[in-house]
């Protein structure tokens, strides 16, 4: 059971953090260099719609598999400090994601539907900042999860 839970947990983290890496580091600069603002904003709305669907699934799997593994390992008292750190940072990532999803992403969709591209650009900038934070947190979590037991 543990190997399946670890696999699901890792795949979910890869989808979420890898998707943010691709969007922020690769897609964003190319879209900014080659697409006019209306097309660029429409591209982002479409990408976020698909990506955020998968992030919701990843979050559900991460929470479920993480707490299931903690239970199988003997509960909160039995796990290492690195797991507690990973858990705290993951909840921060989830809170930031929920802010993005329910605030600037919602307003971005409304602005693009209304062809209010200046407002859409403001909302996209908010999303970009939040993704930069979450990408950093995701990378830190990966580091803590992979080597934390040896350092803490």
């Amino acid at each position: 059971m543990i190997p399946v839970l670890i696999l699901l947990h890792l795949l979910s983290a890869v989808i979420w953090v890898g998707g943010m890496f691709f969007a922020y580091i690769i897609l964003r600069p190319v879209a900014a260099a080659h697409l006019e603002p209306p097309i660029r904003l429409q591209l982002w709305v479409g990408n976020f719609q698909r990506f955020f669907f998968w992030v919701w699934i990843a979050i559900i799997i991460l929470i479920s598999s993480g707490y299931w593994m903690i239970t199988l390992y003997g509960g909160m008292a039995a796990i290492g400090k690195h797991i507690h750190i990973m858990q705290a940072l993951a909840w921060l990532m989830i809170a930031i994601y929920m802010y993005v999803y329910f605030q600037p992403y919602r307003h971005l969709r409304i602005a693009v539907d209304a062809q209010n591209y200046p407002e859409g650009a403001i909302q996209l900038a908010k999303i970009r900042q939040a993704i930069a934070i979450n990408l950093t947190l995701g990378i830190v979590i990966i580091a803590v999860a992979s080597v934390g037991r040896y350092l803490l």
Side-chain angles (χ1 to χ4, degrees):
M1 177 60 72
I2 293 286
V4 172
L5 292 172
I6 291 172
L7 177 62
L8 290 172
H9 203 77
L10 287 173
L11 289 175
S12 297
V14 165
I15 288 168
W16 190 2
V17 177
M20 289 188 297
F21 181 88
F22 172 78
Y24 194 83
I25 302 298
I26 297 165
L27 181 59
R28 183 181 66 83
V30 173
H34 297 287
L35 300 175
E36 295 298 319
I39 301 298
R40 186 170 58 237
L41 290 168
Q42 292 168 9
L43 172 76
W44 280 113
V45 168
N47 277 308
F48 288 143
Q49 182 179 11
R50 288 176 180 254
F51 178 59
F52 289 166
F53 169 80
W54 287 102
V55 173
W56 282 116
I57 292 171
I59 288 171
I60 291 166
I61 293 171
L62 285 164
I63 292 170
S64 302
S65 62
Y67 285 116
W68 196 350
M69 285 187 284
I70 288 171
T71 300
L72 291 175
Y73 280 118
M76 291 293 193
I79 60 175
K81 289 179 187 176
H82 67 292
I83 303 298
H84 289 286
I85 293 168
M86 179 173 54
Q87 175 189 202
L89 294 176
W91 280 112
L92 180 57
M93 280 185 71
I94 291 167
I96 292 168
Y97 169 74
M98 292 182 79
Y99 158 75
V100 166
Y101 187 83
F102 290 112
Q103 287 297 315
Y105 171 59
R106 181 175 154 267
H107 294 294
L108 172 65
R109 286 190 339 253
I110 292 167
V112 169
D113 286 346
Q115 298 181 354
N116 183 352
Y117 300 117
E119 178 60 26
I122 291 168
Q123 298 306 319
L124 184 59
K126 292 177 184 178
I127 293 170
R128 185 184 75 245
Q129 291 168 347
I131 287 177
I133 293 167
N134 256 4
L135 176 57
T136 303
L137 288 171
I139 291 169
V140 169
I141 290 171
I142 290 168
V144 168
S146 60
V147 298
R149 76 171 59 190
Y150 306 107
L151 301 175
L152 301 172

